[in-house]
Amino acid sequence: MLVNDALEALKAKFKPKNESEILPISEALGKTLTNDVIAVKDLPCFDNSALDGFAVKFDEKDEPYKIIASAFAGDKEQLAIGKNECVKIMTGAKMPKGADTVMRFEDCLVEGEFVKAPAKLKKGEAYRFKGEETKVGEILLKSGEILNTRSVMMLAAQGISFIDVKKQPSVGIYSSGNEIIEPWQRASEDEIYNANALGIAALLSSIGQKSSYLGIIKDELNAVKQAFLNSANYDIVICSGGASAGEADFMKIALSELGYNEIFSHLDIRPGRPCKAYEKDGRLVFILPGNPMAAYLCTMMLVLPLLKSECFVTQKAINSENLKVKSGRANAVFGNVADGKFVATDGGKYGSGMINHILKSDFVLITSPDQGEILQNSEISLIKLP
């Protein structure tokens, strides 16, 4: 199955619980609002100065102003000025009564306790009015919006420290294989460190998705079956290893016996063809290839966009050399961009078990199945690797 078709099939089957949770805004980045956010405070909440300078009445600019006081941000008292008087004012300080303009320090000529206005002074310059940005009762953020860095700042500016957001799907991660041991253990020559689980968890973290590591499943039918029974409360379970059809496909047998339905049995992409997905009651199980590069790419191309619609940073570039690929499937070509040109890592040659190849790359080109060659000097669209 093509990657885009697989993703659409997953979206049609995936039915996460429609629940919300209240989080501190320090944890709200990337989360989806469940309710509109209404302004409870005018911004600014009082007339103030946008810069350091002298607060004056514009119409009196032809005569020198006498400096009568200073106003600082945080001062509770609001000062007032009389005819041809001014107040030395700091950014954010309350505008004095009678003032309608601020002259920046560096534009003024100060002589003792008097200051002359600059020739190009404009009325209302640097005057910030109460509520000019936001007024009480206005809708600041709408239900369904994904909170970004700016919206978190606005929440804080409104004195909102906790926010009601859509609860993330729960994701559990397994690795599979008798030869796999944890990175904190000591591997023999015949054993392999569990790179996939932590790499997959890191990919999920790159879009703000939390996950739980559930351990290593041994290559035994009962162990596989018990593992999926134990993780039945998760919305998504991702297992790397066990995707290829060997003499005994324990994954397929166990999931079938537990009532899961196969969504697809393979992907038409290199690396990642053995990837499988199953569904039961709106919950998903991914059985990814055990090879690290393939597991990484399948997670990136299927799981990330399933959980977050806009999860990729893309960039246009010019291909620096002719690259041969196999048609009839999508192909991942990893590389880097220098001076606007895409250079394939190691000439585009790799094995699906390689980690160093993607470590040396910042971008990936996903070809279309009808392509057998990417021509030199052609414009291509790249995905930035998380």
Side-chain angles (χ1 to χ4, degrees):
M1 182 178 282
L2 296 175
V3 173
N4 287 342
D5 293 338
L7 184 56
E8 290 306 310
L10 291 166
K11 288 179 178 178
K13 296 290 186 181
F14 185 43
K15 300 292 185 288
K17 305 180 198 74
N18 188 21
E19 298 177 348
S20 65
E21 60 182 342
I22 296 175
L23 294 178
I25 61 171
S26 59
E27 298 177 17
L29 183 64
K31 306 299 189 300
T32 302
L33 280 173
T34 54
N35 301 297
D36 292 346
V37 175
I38 309 298
V40 295
K41 188 177 180 67
D42 290 329
L43 290 180
C45 52
F46 50 82
D47 294 355
N48 69 87
S49 175
L51 49 80
D52 296 344
F54 297 98
V56 300
K57 186 174 182 178
F58 177 81
D59 292 343
E60 300 168 353
K61 64 182 178 64
D62 293 334
E63 297 293 331
Y65 296 100
K66 183 179 181 180
I67 305 168
I68 61 168
S70 295
F72 298 90
D75 287 351
K76 300 292 189 293
E77 180 187 3
Q78 183 179 19
L79 302 174
I81 59 172
K83 182 175 175 55
N84 277 102
E85 291 180 336
C86 70
V87 167
K88 188 176 184 180
I89 193 167
M90 304 302 154
T91 304
K94 287 184 178 181
M95 286 293 292
K97 293 178 182 178
D100 59 14
T101 303
V102 178
M103 311 184 300
R104 69 176 71 237
F105 287 150
E106 53 268 38
D107 294 340
C108 298
L109 177 61
V110 179
E111 296 176 340
E113 59 182 3
F114 289 92
V115 58
K116 292 182 178 179
K120 296 182 179 180
L121 183 65
K122 295 179 181 179
K123 187 173 183 177
E125 192 168 344
Y127 193 122
R128 290 196 294 214
F129 291 90
K130 177 181 178 179
E132 71 176 20
E133 180 182 359
T134 297
K135 290 183 172 61
V136 171
E138 290 181 349
I139 296 177
L140 296 177
L141 301 167
K142 293 185 177 180
S143 174
E145 282 192 45
I146 296 175
L147 292 169
N148 56 31
T149 53
R150 288 93 65 201
S151 47
V152 170
M153 181 177 280
M154 177 57 81
L155 291 172
Q158 287 289 311
I160 298 171
S161 56
F162 286 83
I163 194 73
D164 195 4
V165 296
K166 186 177 179 181
K167 195 171 185 178
Q168 283 189 330
S170 55
V171 180
I173 300 172
Y174 281 119
S175 287
S176 171
N178 292 335
E179 76 283 12
I180 305 296
I181 69 165
E182 305 294 9
W184 50 88
Q185 298 174 313
R186 184 177 294 276
S188 69
E189 290 297 317
D190 301 318
E191 293 172 321
I192 300 171
Y193 286 120
N194 181 13
N196 290 0
L198 280 91
I200 291 167
L203 277 168
L204 294 171
S205 293
S206 74
I207 62 165
Q209 174 66 50
K210 294 181 179 179
S211 61
S212 300
Y213 175 55
L214 305 178
I216 297 171
I217 307 174
K218 295 301 181 183
D219 290 330
E220 301 166 1
L221 179 58
N222 288 337
V224 173
K225 195 170 181 179
Q226 189 60 50
F228 289 120
L229 280 171
N230 293 343
S231 58
N233 60 321
Y234 286 90
D235 296 311
I236 295 176
V237 174
I238 305 170
C239 179
S240 63
S244 299
E247 292 184 7
D249 191 343
F250 295 138
M251 296 292 175
K252 184 173 183 177
I253 296 169
L255 289 166
S256 178
E257 290 182 0
L258 292 173
Y260 283 82
N261 301 305
E262 188 175 80
I263 301 174
F264 55 83
S265 61
H266 69 278
L267 288 179
D268 292 324
I269 190 171
R270 176 183 183 262
R273 179 178 172 79
C275 181
K276 301 176 174 67
Y278 296 81
E279 176 271 338
K280 180 181 178 181
D281 300 328
R283 291 179 285 109
L284 301 180
V285 172
F286 290 89
I287 307 299
L288 307 184
N291 282 321
M293 183 192 292
Y296 181 97
L297 186 69
C298 289
T299 302
M300 178 178 149
M301 298 303 297
L302 291 180
V303 185
L304 298 195
L306 177 66
L307 293 170
K308 185 177 180 180
S309 56
E310 296 180 5
C311 61
F312 296 140
V313 175
T314 59
Q315 180 174 323
K316 297 287 187 181
I318 301 299
N319 186 37
S320 65
E321 60 182 319
N322 288 333
L323 295 169
K324 297 283 188 180
V325 293
K326 185 176 180 180
S327 61
R329 70 185 183 196
N331 294 272
V333 183
F334 299 92
N336 296 286
V337 175
D339 298 324
K341 291 189 175 182
F342 176 71
V343 180
T345 301
D346 300 330
K349 297 179 175 61
Y350 60 79
S352 61
M354 294 179 174
I355 300 175
N356 194 45
H357 189 85
I358 53 177
L359 180 64
K360 294 189 293 185
S361 307
D362 288 328
F363 294 90
V364 62
L365 166 66
I366 305 296
T367 68
S368 61
D370 59 353
Q371 282 183 293
E373 185 177 18
I374 305 102
L375 297 176
Q376 185 179 20
N377 295 326
S378 60
E379 186 179 63
I380 54 177
S381 182
L382 304 170
I383 299 173
K384 184 84 166 65
L385 295 178

